[in-house]
Amino acid sequence: LFLSNISVTLYSSATLIILGAFATDLVVGYYSAAEKIMMVPRQLLGVFSQAIYSKVCLLADQGYHSLEKLWRKLMPPFLVAVFLICLAMLVFSNELAHFVTGHSSKSVSFLIKLLSFVPFIVALNIQSYQTLLAYNLRVQCLSILVFASLSNILINGILSYFFGATGTVISLLITEAIISVGLYVM
C-alpha cells in the first residue's frame, strides 16, 4: 500500500515538474489553479474510500456475493453524485476560475473543463481497487499503479512538450483511464 501511494504521489508531483520544464511559469500557474479545483472532489473520493474500506473488508470475508451486494447498492448513487459534481465543474468553470484566480481567466476555465471529469474516472476505480485490496491482491494493484505512473511520466513529457498544459491534462486523463481499466480487468 505504501508503494502504491508513492506511485500515485510520484505521477501527481511529476506532472507539474514536467510541465514546468516545457511551459512558462504562467502556464504552470494556470494548470495549478485548475488542478486545485479538480482536487476538491478528488479529496472527497479519498474520504469516501477510507470510510467504506473496513466494511468492504468485512464483507469480503463473508464472501464475494456479500461484497457485490454492497457495491450494487452503494456505487450507482455514488457515481451519479460524482458525475453531477463533475458536470457542475464543467458548467461553472468560468466562475470557478474567477474564484481561484480572482479574475476572469479563459485559460484556467478551459483547463477546469478538461479536468472536470477526472474525479469521475477516479470514482470508477474505487470498487475494483478496494475489492483487490480486500482480497489481498496488493501486488497486482501496485503493478497497475507503477505502470500508470511510468506511463504518465512518459506521456506527459511528450504531450506537455507539444501541447503545454492541455497535453498535461490529456496525459492525466490517459493515466487515470489506464488505472481504472487495469484495476477493472484485474
Side-chain angles (χ1 to χ4, degrees):
L1 288 176
F2 175 74
L3 293 174
S4 295
N5 287 335
I6 285 179
S7 294
V8 172
T9 302
L10 174 69
Y11 88 77
S12 296
S13 301
T15 300
L16 279 175
I17 295 168
I18 293 169
L19 179 60
F22 301 114
T24 65
D25 290 343
L26 182 63
V27 170
V28 173
Y30 288 157
Y31 176 82
S32 182
E35 184 183 50
K36 284 181 184 5
I37 294 294
M38 183 265 305
M39 289 307 288
V40 172
R42 197 159 172 185
Q43 293 297 325
L44 294 173
L45 299 179
V47 170
F48 173 78
S49 292
Q50 290 173 1
I52 65 167
Y53 184 65
S54 60
K55 180 77 170 176
V56 168
C57 291
L58 178 70
L59 291 175
D61 282 343
Q62 294 175 8
Y64 183 74
H65 293 294
S66 297
L67 182 56
E68 189 62 29
K69 218 161 123 178
L70 172 74
W71 290 130
R72 274 185 271 145
K73 177 181 165 187
L74 198 59
M75 289 309 286
F78 174 71
L79 289 174
V80 168
V82 172
F83 181 81
L84 291 175
I85 291 169
C86 293
L87 186 60
M89 285 174 51
L90 179 71
V91 170
F92 297 107
S93 63
N94 292 332
E95 291 80 3
L96 291 169
H98 187 273
F99 175 75
V100 137
T101 63
H103 56 82
S104 182
S105 174
K106 291 184 185 211
S107 297
V108 174
S109 177
F110 176 71
L111 292 171
I112 290 171
K113 286 176 183 173
L114 291 178
L115 287 167
S116 64
F117 283 94
V118 168
F120 185 74
I121 296 170
V122 172
L124 291 174
N125 76 42
I126 290 173
Q127 178 179 350
S128 300
Y129 183 69
Q130 291 210 352
T131 300
L132 289 170
L133 291 180
Y135 286 109
N136 204 24
L137 298 169
R138 289 175 176 89
V139 172
Q140 289 83 346
C141 287
L142 176 63
S143 64
I144 292 165
L145 293 174
V146 167
F147 175 76
S149 295
L150 295 175
S151 297
N152 177 270
I153 291 168
L154 176 67
I155 294 167
N156 188 24
I158 294 168
L159 293 180
S160 65
Y161 176 78
F162 290 106
F163 304 108
T166 302
T168 296
V169 172
I170 293 168
S171 74
L172 181 63
L173 289 165
I174 291 169
T175 302
E176 294 298 347
I178 288 170
I179 292 170
S180 290
V181 169
L183 290 171
Y184 181 78
V185 168
M186 192 63 65

